[in-house]
Amino acid sequence: MSRRIATVGLSALVATVSSVLAGAALLAVPLALGGNPQRVLHYPAGVWLSVLHMAWLATALAFIWFADGVRAVGPTRASVFTNFVPVVAVLVGVLALGDHLHWSMAVGGLLAVAGVWLANRQPAPAAVRAQPAERSSCHA
């Protein structure tokens, strides 16, 4: 879908706002049918701040940047960067929540970073690539 949006020329902001509004409308249906939708108005401020953070920073801003990345490097190369999601989640857990970083998590993070680097590095120029060995001729 990102490829279609990029070819149509729709900005990342418009595409993200449209998808966020569509998602909010779809989530409003079960809320309305759930029995007591007024209870939402009485949630504490911390809950609302968490929802706003998830909606705007963790979702909308990430989608905008990803769409810009798709436009800049193409969908295949940009999609490789989604491998950083669990790495960032572990880092946030360690730094913000005080979670313990197990050695296997560190190794997994390093493997994810190495994989993204390998997938996005530039191929060697054609002149530098290994050439087949020249055949030696017995005819001088």
Side-chain angles (χ1 to χ4, degrees):
M1 188 163 172
S2 297
R3 184 182 303 158
R4 288 187 202 129
I5 290 170
T7 58
V8 171
L10 196 62
S11 76
L13 181 61
V14 171
T16 300
V17 168
S18 300
S19 62
V20 166
L21 290 175
L26 290 172
L27 289 172
V29 173
L31 176 66
L33 299 175
N36 186 9
Q38 294 85 8
R39 72 179 180 274
V40 174
L41 301 174
H42 302 290
Y43 288 155
V47 171
W48 285 109
L49 287 174
S50 297
V51 169
L52 288 174
H53 169 266
M54 286 296 297
W56 292 109
L57 292 178
T59 303
L61 189 60
F63 280 137
I64 289 169
W65 285 345
F66 184 74
D68 285 341
V70 168
R71 190 169 281 119
V73 299
T76 304
R77 289 184 71 190
S79 66
V80 173
F81 286 92
T82 60
N83 291 298
F84 284 141
V85 171
V87 175
V88 172
V90 168
L91 289 175
V92 168
V94 168
L95 297 173
L97 303 175
D99 288 348
H100 175 70
L101 180 64
H102 192 264
W103 68 268
S104 63
M105 295 176 188
V107 170
L110 290 174
L111 287 173
V113 170
V116 170
W117 177 78
L118 283 171
N120 280 292
R121 68 187 175 114
Q122 297 297 321
V128 178
R129 290 188 191 140
Q131 299 292 328
E134 291 183 27
R135 293 183 192 180
S136 61
S137 173
C138 58
H139 303 295

